[in-house]
């Protein structure tokens, strides 16, 4: 009987971010550079916030050589234990926003992805100059993890109170605080993971990657 080529696992986002930061998870050569637009990153956070499924990740357990690319713009200082086969764009997006790390684009430019959140109407947006000035937005949600949830929520509510003609009620403040906390808690979002084992060789991994990404026919909303 052939050895199993994969196993189903799972992990909270915060654990994967730490594994990326320490170099345990990295990118294989078959993956393309970061190509997502900021609007796709915004939609990813919106889907997670609303509890929508965002797809399964595929990782490969292997002893890769030191120098394999890690998410961001540097190289790993250690040989990673897991390589990302499918899910690079999603993991890069989440890692970049939550840690504030600049990512390297296909043009070899370093880019800071800034996503805003409006707790009043629970909307995510790509940060621009108008949003920066709008007191109803947290202009860069990275602050929820870099500065802390409570400090960011307090600063937001203070700005909103100053901009409002009528005072916020205690119930309104509690609801806005809960929504901000809900964004912060996206770091605990649990991913479904298909983990290819060491029994897979490079040729098999490449074949699995191609089949996974080419078998389906994309449907638009009207088709669905």
């Amino acid at each position: 009987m052939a050895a199993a080529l994969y196993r189903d696992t799972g992990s909270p986002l915060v654990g994967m971010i730490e594994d990326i930061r320490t170099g345990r998870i990295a990118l294989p050569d078959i993956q393309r550079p970061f190509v997502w637009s900021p609007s796709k990153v915004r939609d990813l956070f919106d889907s997670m916030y609303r509890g929508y499924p965002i797809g399964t990740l595929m990782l490969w357990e292997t002893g890769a050589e030191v120098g394999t690319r890690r998410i961001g713009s540097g190289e790993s200082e250690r040989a990673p234990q897991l390589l990302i086969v499918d899910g690079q764009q999603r993991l890069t997006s989440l890692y970049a926003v939550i840690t504030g790390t600049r990512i390297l684009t296909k043009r070899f430019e370093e880019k800071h992805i800034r996503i805003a959140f409006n707790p009043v109407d629970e909307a995510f947006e790509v940060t621009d100059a108008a949003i920066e000035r709008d007191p109803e937005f947290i202009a860069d949600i990275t602050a929820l993890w870099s500065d802390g949830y409570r400090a960011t929520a307090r600063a937001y509510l203070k700005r909103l109170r100053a901009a409002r003609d009528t005072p916020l009620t205690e119930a309104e403040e509690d609801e806005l605080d809960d929504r901000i906390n809900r964004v912060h808690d996206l770091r605990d979002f649990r991913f479904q993971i298909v983990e290819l084992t060491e029994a897979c060789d490079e040729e098999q991994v490449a074949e699995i990657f191609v089949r996974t990404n080419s078998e389906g026919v994309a449907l638009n909303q009207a088709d669905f």
Side-chain angles (χ1 to χ4, degrees), residues 20-215:
I20 291 167
R21 188 188 66 78
T22 59
R24 182 173 180 266
I25 294 177
L27 306 178
D29 291 336
I30 63 172
Q31 284 285 29
R32 63 189 188 279
F34 185 75
V35 297
W36 268 19
S37 65
S39 62
K40 290 202 72 169
V41 180
R42 172 203 64 201
D43 292 347
L44 176 63
F45 274 91
D46 185 70
S47 292
M48 292 169 64
Y49 181 84
R50 297 178 188 281
Y52 296 168
I54 60 169
T56 300
L57 302 177
M58 187 180 295
L59 306 178
W60 177 25
E61 181 184 20
T62 182
E65 296 294 327
V66 173
T68 302
R69 287 179 299 130
R70 67 181 177 202
I71 288 178
S73 57
E75 289 191 346
S76 178
E77 297 176 356
R78 56 180 283 191
Q81 294 176 297
L82 296 167
L83 300 184
I84 303 169
V85 177
D86 194 19
Q88 175 190 348
Q89 305 300 313
R90 283 167 287 166
L91 280 179
T92 301
S93 299
L94 295 168
Y95 182 81
V97 173
I98 288 177
T99 66
T101 301
R102 293 179 177 272
I103 53 91
L104 194 64
T105 69
K106 61 182 178 181
R107 295 178 181 175
F108 298 99
E109 299 169 341
E110 288 195 353
K111 183 178 181 180
H112 183 199
I113 304 172
R114 301 183 72 220
I115 302 299
F117 178 66
N118 184 333
V120 176
D121 59 12
E122 299 181 277
F124 291 86
E125 297 291 348
V126 178
T127 305
D128 59 20
I131 285 174
E132 288 272 16
R133 297 189 297 269
D134 192 335
E136 294 204 351
F137 276 94
I138 295 173
D140 188 347
I141 61 173
T142 298
L144 288 169
W145 302 284
S146 62
D147 300 340
Y149 144 67
R150 293 195 180 279
T152 304
R154 281 197 299 265
Y156 168 77
L157 290 171
K158 182 179 180 179
R159 286 196 314 272
L160 192 60
R161 286 189 212 104
R164 290 288 182 94
D165 294 329
T166 57
L168 289 168
T169 66
E170 186 175 331
E172 286 175 326
E173 290 201 8
D174 286 346
E175 185 172 27
L176 294 173
D177 187 86
D178 286 345
R179 291 172 179 178
I180 295 168
N181 190 34
R182 187 170 157 192
V183 176
H184 173 263
D185 286 349
L186 291 180
R187 67 178 187 169
D188 298 320
F189 186 96
R190 187 166 183 82
F191 276 93
Q192 292 178 302
I193 300 170
V194 171
E195 194 172 298
L196 303 178
T197 69
E198 288 181 302
C200 286
D201 58 31
E202 292 182 12
E203 190 172 319
Q204 287 173 314
V205 171
E207 178 69 13
I208 291 168
F209 176 80
V210 170
R211 292 192 182 196
T212 300
N213 286 276
S214 64
E215 289 298 314

